[in-house]
Amino acid sequence: MKKEREEDLETNLAGDEESGNHTDESGRRSWFMRRKKGILTSTADKKETPEGLWSKCPNCNFISTTTDLKENLFVCPKCNYHHRIGSREYYEIIFDNNQYTELFDNILSKDFLHFTDLKSYQKRLDDIYSKTDLKDSMSVAVGTVNGEGLVVACMDFEFIGGSLGSVMGEKFSRAVDYCIAHKLPFMVISKSGGARMMESAFSLMQLAKTSGKLSQLSDAKLPYISLLTDPTFGGISASFGMLGDLNIAEPGALIGFAGPRIIKETIKKDLPEGFQRSEFLLEHGFLDFIVDRKILKDKLATLIRLFRS
């Protein structure tokens, strides 16, 4: 019996040699080897797929190329999930021909309290500056939207969770002054975890500062549009995030003060389905409407014309 198995193995090996199917010493086919013109390439020499080539939707697990996703404005083509994007991507979507002027980009955060938790605040700032081209959690830009002038202040979650600090408050205030001086409408795109604890009371002071500046914008009879994206929490929703002449949001955005997990642990009860999502807030009167990213630009241009008329 053993001799017959050995003869069968030799026959199979010979057949593989003739057919070009290579096998290893144990007689198993080398399924994990690439074949091209009779040349074998080992696994160690194979080319890796470039990082960032594919993107997986966190909502429906649909996989698409990053290029296709970008062309679809970072919206899942299957379930319409709006992926989180940064200020540069929003500016590209909103402003005509991706042409805009960034304002107040010379202001940087400073560790004036010498705050330290797991590491110093200054070390956190230095790490972010070295890894990204971001100056702070908010950037401000001015440009045109279908020919209509607009100043946009947009948050970047990548910078310490889009947290509200003294620099954000200062940029916000200067943006309002710029709008008043040039008689332009103002829009803020919120995406934040709340106040920046490393700046302590200086961070909390920005809630009053930004809210006060909006009263000046109102006195100048200039519109303020607040666009809430995923996620918007804490001090942002407790201040200028909910003070817009129009409060709008992207589909499925998580918006609130404390997060749903914290609330559930506090009240010891299950929360309603879709709690704190933008659709839930719209139903309960906290939002004026929800706008899909694909029609955001046209919608903004229409709103600016209506405010001006």
Side-chain angles (χ1 to χ4, degrees), residues 189-296:
I189 303 176
S190 298
K191 181 166 55 269
S192 173
R196 190 175 303 174
M197 67 174 187
M198 288 78 84
E199 294 189 14
S200 188
F202 289 97
S203 175
L204 296 177
M205 289 165 60
Q206 307 311 310
L207 278 71
K209 179 178 180 178
T210 54
S211 299
K213 293 299 291 187
L214 286 177
S215 66
Q216 297 179 10
L217 194 70
S218 178
D219 292 340
K221 295 181 171 30
L222 293 170
Y224 166 52
I225 302 171
S226 177
L227 173 60
L228 308 173
T229 68
D230 183 53
T232 299
F233 278 99
I236 303 302
S237 62
S239 57
F240 59 83
M242 287 293 185
L243 293 178
D245 295 306
L246 283 175
N247 294 326
I248 62 180
E250 289 186 335
L254 196 58
I255 304 165
F257 183 70
R261 179 178 58 83
I262 301 298
I263 295 175
K264 183 177 180 179
E265 290 178 356
T266 302
I267 66 175
K268 308 300 181 185
K269 292 182 179 180
D270 291 331
L271 302 174
E273 184 177 354
F275 181 69
Q276 290 188 324
R277 293 290 176 183
S278 51
E279 292 77 9
F280 184 89
L281 269 67
L282 178 65
E283 183 181 348
H284 290 79
F286 287 92
L287 297 174
D288 292 292
F289 59 85
I290 295 172
V291 57
D292 194 291
R293 196 175 290 163
K294 297 176 183 178
I295 62 171
L296 175 61

Side-chain angles (χ1 to χ4, degrees), residues 70 74 85-94 98 156:
K70 182 178 181 180
F74 299 96
I85 57 177
S87 57
R88 297 295 182 272
E89 289 78 15
Y90 274 112
Y91 294 156
E92 185 175 348
I93 292 170
I94 293 173
N98 193 25
D156 284 286

Side-chain angles (χ1 to χ4, degrees), residues 10-291:
E10 291 177 359
T11 301
N12 290 335
L13 287 170
D16 286 341
E17 290 287 338
E18 293 174 1
S19 63
N21 293 329
H22 298 270
T23 57
D24 57 22
E25 293 180 357
S26 63
R28 293 172 297 182
R29 284 186 174 86
S30 304
W31 296 109
F32 299 100
M33 309 290 279
R34 297 191 299 113
R35 298 175 179 81
K36 185 177 181 181
K37 297 181 180 179
I39 300 174
L40 293 176
T41 303
S42 66
T43 302
D45 295 331
K46 73 181 181 66
K47 293 183 178 180
E48 296 289 344
T49 302
E51 290 187 8
L53 183 63
W54 300 94
S55 179
K56 184 177 181 180
C57 176
N59 184 56
C60 70
N61 295 326
F62 179 77
I63 298 176
S64 61
T65 65
T66 303
T67 301
D68 289 342
L69 187 64
K70 182 178 181 180
E71 291 176 353
N72 205 43
L73 305 186
F74 299 96
V75 176
C76 177
K78 183 177 181 181
C79 69
N80 204 45
Y81 174 82
H82 282 51
H83 290 252
R84 295 179 184 178
I85 57 177
S87 57
R88 297 295 182 272
E89 289 78 15
Y90 274 112
Y91 294 156
E92 185 175 348
I93 292 170
I94 293 173
F95 291 122
D96 296 338
N97 302 317
N98 193 25
Q99 294 182 352
Y100 57 90
T101 301
E102 191 164 345
L103 306 173
F104 326 120
D105 61 345
N106 60 332
I107 313 175
L108 298 176
S109 295
K110 183 179 179 181
D111 184 15
F112 34 76
L113 295 177
H114 305 293
F115 186 93
T116 301
D117 44 76
L118 295 178
K119 58 182 175 181
S120 71
Y121 179 32
Q122 188 60 54
K123 178 69 166 103
R124 292 184 187 278
L125 293 173
D126 292 340
D127 288 345
I128 294 174
Y129 294 148
S130 65
K131 294 176 182 177
T132 71
D133 60 351
L134 300 174
K135 301 295 182 61
D136 198 74
S137 52
M138 173 180 278
S139 64
V140 181
V142 58
T144 58
V145 183
N146 289 348
E148 302 291 336
L150 178 66
V151 175
V152 179
C154 184
M155 299 177 197
D156 284 286
F157 200 79
E158 189 178 357
F159 195 103
I160 314 182
S163 50
L164 170 61
S166 55
V167 169
M168 182 189 289
E170 183 63 19
K171 284 189 174 183
F172 186 102
S173 299
R174 294 191 188 189
V176 171
D177 292 338
Y178 186 94
C179 289
I180 294 173
H182 295 82
K183 300 193 180 307
L184 291 171
F186 185 38
M187 182 175 80
V188 173
I189 303 176
S190 298
K191 181 166 55 269
S192 173
R196 190 175 303 174
M197 67 174 187
M198 288 78 84
E199 294 189 14
S200 188
F202 289 97
S203 175
L204 296 177
M205 289 165 60
Q206 307 311 310
L207 278 71
K209 179 178 180 178
T210 54
S211 299
K213 293 299 291 187
L214 286 177
S215 66
Q216 297 179 10
L217 194 70
S218 178
D219 292 340
K221 295 181 171 30
L222 293 170
Y224 166 52
I225 302 171
S226 177
L227 173 60
L228 308 173
T229 68
D230 183 53
T232 299
F233 278 99
I236 303 302
S237 62
S239 57
F240 59 83
M242 287 293 185
L243 293 178
D245 295 306
L246 283 175
N247 294 326
I248 62 180
E250 289 186 335
L254 196 58
I255 304 165
F257 183 70
R261 179 178 58 83
I262 301 298
I263 295 175
K264 183 177 180 179
E265 290 178 356
T266 302
I267 66 175
K268 308 300 181 185
K269 292 182 179 180
D270 291 331
L271 302 174
E273 184 177 354
F275 181 69
Q276 290 188 324
R277 293 290 176 183
S278 51
E279 292 77 9
F280 184 89
L281 269 67
L282 178 65
E283 183 181 348
H284 290 79
F286 287 92
L287 297 174
D288 292 292
F289 59 85
I290 295 172
V291 57

